[in-house]
C-alpha cells in the first residue's frame, strides 16, 4: 500500500508534521501518547502509528482531547507523520509547519 499523496516527497518533508507536534508537546501546548505497531513479514511490513491526545491548550479544539488518530504506511516515519498530520488538523493547528 503506497503512502498517501500528501506524504510523498523527500524524507525532510516527510517528518515535518511529527516534528511540529513534538515541538508543541515540548512547549507544553499539547500532550499526547504514541504507540507504533508493525505487522506482516519483513519484506512487507505495515507500520501503524496511534497518537492519543491527552490534553490540548486553550488555543486548540478541546473536542480532540481523548481521541486517538492513526495511520498505517509501509514506512515507520510515514505512519508517524501521517498520524501527526491528522492530530494537527483535528486540534485546529493553524501555524506553519517548520
Amino acid at each position: 500500500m503506497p503512502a498517501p499523496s500528501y506524504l510523498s516527497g523527500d524524507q525532510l518533508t516527510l517528518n515535518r508534521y511529527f516534528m511540529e507536534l513534538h515541538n508543541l508537546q515540548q512547549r507544553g501546548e499539547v500532550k499526547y501518547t504514541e504507540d507504533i505497531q508493525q505487522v506482516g513479514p519483513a519484506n512487507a511490513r505495515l507500520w501503524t502509528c496511534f497518537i492519543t491526545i491527552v490534553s490540548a491548550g486553550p488555543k486548540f479544539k478541546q473536542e480532540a482531547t481523548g481521541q486517538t488518530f492513526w495511520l498505517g504506511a509501509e514506512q515507520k516515519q510515514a505512519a508517524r507523520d501521517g498520524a501527526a498530520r491528522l492530530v494537527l488538523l483535528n486540534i485546529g493547528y493553524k501555524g506553519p509547519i517548520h
Side-chain angles (χ1 to χ4, degrees):
M1 167 191 309
S5 61
Y6 61 81
L7 293 178
S8 63
D10 62 36
Q11 195 60 34
L12 184 61
T13 302
L14 289 176
N15 66 17
R16 300 267 183 199
Y17 293 110
F18 186 79
M19 183 172 60
E20 195 63 35
L21 182 61
H22 173 77
N23 289 342
L24 288 173
Q25 180 160 267
Q26 291 298 307
R27 291 193 301 263
E29 297 180 51
V30 173
K31 291 188 189 223
Y32 65 88
T33 60
E34 177 189 21
D35 180 35
I36 299 177
Q37 300 176 8
Q38 61 178 328
V39 296
N43 64 342
R45 291 257 186 251
L46 176 64
W47 295 89
T48 305
C49 178
F50 300 87
I51 299 177
T52 302
I53 301 301
V54 175
S55 65
K59 69 180 183 179
F60 298 115
K61 294 179 185 175
Q62 299 305 303
E63 301 85 39
T65 300
Q67 292 188 36
T68 299
F69 302 91
W70 60 274
L71 189 103
E74 292 176 346
Q75 296 179 345
K76 182 178 179 180
Q77 186 60 46
R80 289 178 94 196
D81 202 50
R85 178 182 178 273
L86 293 173
V87 168
L88 293 172
L89 288 172
N90 281 278
I91 65 172
Y93 179 74
K94 300 198 183 328
I97 303 298
H98 298 100

